């Protein structure tokens, strides 16, 4: 196992190829759940968790079930079913054993099913032919990248609401998109970063 | 059934991207060339119409509690069909859209219309809704991709027109603002377009208010 390749995958997923700012995956929850710092934190953690587990399960399903049976054309359907089942399972588990976290995540938990970052990460794992360890690392660090992005953006947005002197047509969603664009510009600075 | 009203809603007053703010990921990600915009738009129209028809047909059979899972399976089936057809007949388009074709499964427009419209209306209306909402999405993609390609890359019609499908060069090389093709440009142009839409809708509402007085 090559350690440097894992480091470069993680750095890539968190900074250089950030899921939000350079791959446009998971914009809907990123825009929807970033109005307050604490909900953003909860959402980020939940997404990281689901992305990690989904990478593991989908890798297993793909390698041991779909490829040997020659069913790779069913990948998209199989993956989305795995993710939907997984989210349901995580929800039941949290409800039973960690009710405080379950309360905090509330409605955002079931919404993760339709988060394209989760389906995106498992599809990219397959597309890039990552092995088991690489898939897991990519899943978790991709989730961490999402967490970093949504936290940064939520802190910007909290201030944006306080000042509230945007032009009238830009109020609400457009000004949020513009600030996300400026954050993406900042993240472009990482694109010069090369690992080994 | 009111075809005109549905068309107007899909294209303008209830546009899926500009007003309902759905499906932002794919809108910003792939609107870099005209070819991508058209390809993605047509794929979404086909999938949205087919899934709306099937879901509308099944709306009395699907139990309420597991309806979202059922919708996703129907949508995923049509996405797989479109994905395989594109891979077979238009490999270049399939390559440049990449992971965003299978990701149509989780495009909020399709699930959103299934939940908000197809599950409550008849087959014909749902089919029309699929076509018009899809057209609204395509319209936004076309505006964004033409703008971003022209000012970010200096060409028009990349992927289909011009020598080697590289597009017709309008702005000489070295002058275009590369920024617009990059992800940053996606956020900025999309933000401006939504702001323009909000401006127009507000003006219209003011005009209506003035007429009433």
């Amino acid at each position: 196992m090559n350690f440097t390749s894992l480091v470069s995958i993680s750095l890539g997923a968190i900074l250089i190829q950030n899921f939000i700012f350079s791959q446009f995956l998971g914009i809907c929850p990123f825009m929807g759940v970033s109005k307050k710092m604490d909900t953003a934190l909860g959402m980020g953690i939940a997404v990281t968790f689901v992305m990690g587990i989904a990478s593991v399960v989908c890798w297993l399903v793909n390698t041991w079930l779909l490829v040997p049976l020659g069913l790779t054309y069913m990948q998209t359907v199989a993956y989305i079913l795995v993710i939907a089942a997984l989210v349901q399972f995580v929800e039941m588990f949290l409800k039973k054993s960690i009710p405080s976290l379950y309360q905090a995540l509330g409605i955002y938990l079931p919404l993760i099913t339709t988060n394209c970052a989760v389906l995106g990460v498992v599809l990219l794992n397959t597309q890039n032919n990552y092995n088991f360890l690489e898939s897991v690392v990519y899943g978790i660090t991709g989730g961490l990248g999402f967490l970093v992005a949504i936290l940064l953006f939520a802190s910007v947005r909290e201030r944006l609401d306080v000042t509230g002197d945007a032009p009238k047509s830009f109020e609400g969603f457009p000004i949020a998109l513009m600030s996300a664009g400026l954050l993406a510009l900042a993240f472009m600075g990482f694109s010069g970063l090369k690992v080994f | 059934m009111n075809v005109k009203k549905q068309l107007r809603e899909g294209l303008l007053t209830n546009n899926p991207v500009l007003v309902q703010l759905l499906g932002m990921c794919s809108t910003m990600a792939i609107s870099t060339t005209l070819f991508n915009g058209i390809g993605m738009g047509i794929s979404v129209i086909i999938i949205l119409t087919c899934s709306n028809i099937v879901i509308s047909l099944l709306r009395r059979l699907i139990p309420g509690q597991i309806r979202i899972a059922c919708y996703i399976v129907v949508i995923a089936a049509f996405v797989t069909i479109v994905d395989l057809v594109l891979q077979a007949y238009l490999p270049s388009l399939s390559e440049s859209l990449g992971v965003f074709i299978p990701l149509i499964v989780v495009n909020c427009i399709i699930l959103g219309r299934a939940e908000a419209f197809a599950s409550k209306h008849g087959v014909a209306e749902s089919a029309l809704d699929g076509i018009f909402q899809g057209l609204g999405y395509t319209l936004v993609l076309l505006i964004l991709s033409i703008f971003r390609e022209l000012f970010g890359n200096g060409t028009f019609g990349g992927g289909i027109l011009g020598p080697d499908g590289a597009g017709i060069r309008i702005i000489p090389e070295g002058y275009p603002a590369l920024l617009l093709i990059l992800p940053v440009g996606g956020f900025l142009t999309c933000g401006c377009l939504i702001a323009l839409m909000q401006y127009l809708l507000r003006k219209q509402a003011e005009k209506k208010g003035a007429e009433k007085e």
Side-chain angles (χ1 to χ4, degrees), chain B residues 156-205:
Chain B
F156 175 76
I160 18 177
L161 304 171
D164 304 328
I168 299 163
R169 183 153 290 284
I170 294 174
I171 301 176
E173 255 170 85
Y175 287 96
L178 182 67
L179 188 76
L180 285 176
I181 290 286
L182 296 173
V184 186
F187 281 109
L188 296 184
T189 41
C190 205
C192 289
L193 199 60
I194 294 173
L196 180 69
M197 192 69 198
Q198 286 194 356
Y199 173 79
L200 292 177
L201 285 180
R202 208 182 66 229
K203 278 274 139 128
Q204 200 188 25

Side-chain angles (χ1 to χ4, degrees), chain A residues 21 23-28 73 76-77 80-81 114 116 119-120 123 168-171 173-174 177-178 181 185 188, chain B residues 21 25 28-29 72-73 76 80 99-100 102-103 105-106 108 111 179 182-184 187-188 191-192 194-195 198-199 202:
Chain A
F21 293 131
Q23 307 203 39
F24 287 116
L25 293 171
I27 302 282
C28 303
Y73 61 88
T76 316
V77 182
I80 191 75
L81 282 178
T114 53
C116 39
L119 186 60
L123 286 170
K168 212 167 177 199
S169 305
F170 276 90
E171 263 168 25
F173 204 77
L177 269 184
M178 299 308 241
L185 193 63
M188 260 175 65
Chain B
L21 306 174
C25 308
M28 291 192 274
I72 288 183
V73 174
T80 308
V99 78
F100 282 95
L103 279 181
V105 179
V106 284
C108 336
L111 199 61
L179 188 76
L182 296 173
V184 186
F187 281 109
L188 296 184
C192 289
I194 294 173
Q198 286 194 356
Y199 173 79
R202 208 182 66 229

Side-chain angles (χ1 to χ4, degrees), chain B residues 3 34 56 80 88 98 125 139 163 169 208:
Chain B
V3 180
L34 185 63
S56 162
T80 308
E125 275 170 300
L139 183 73
R169 183 153 290 284
K208 260 189 193 157

Side-chain angles (χ1 to χ4, degrees), chain A residues 148-171:
Chain A
V148 169
I150 200 169
L151 275 184
L152 282 175
F153 187 53
S155 58
V156 170
R157 219 170 158 184
E158 271 186 350
R159 255 149 255 203
L160 209 62
D161 282 348
V162 174
T163 57
D165 51 1
K168 212 167 177 199
S169 305
F170 276 90
E171 263 168 25

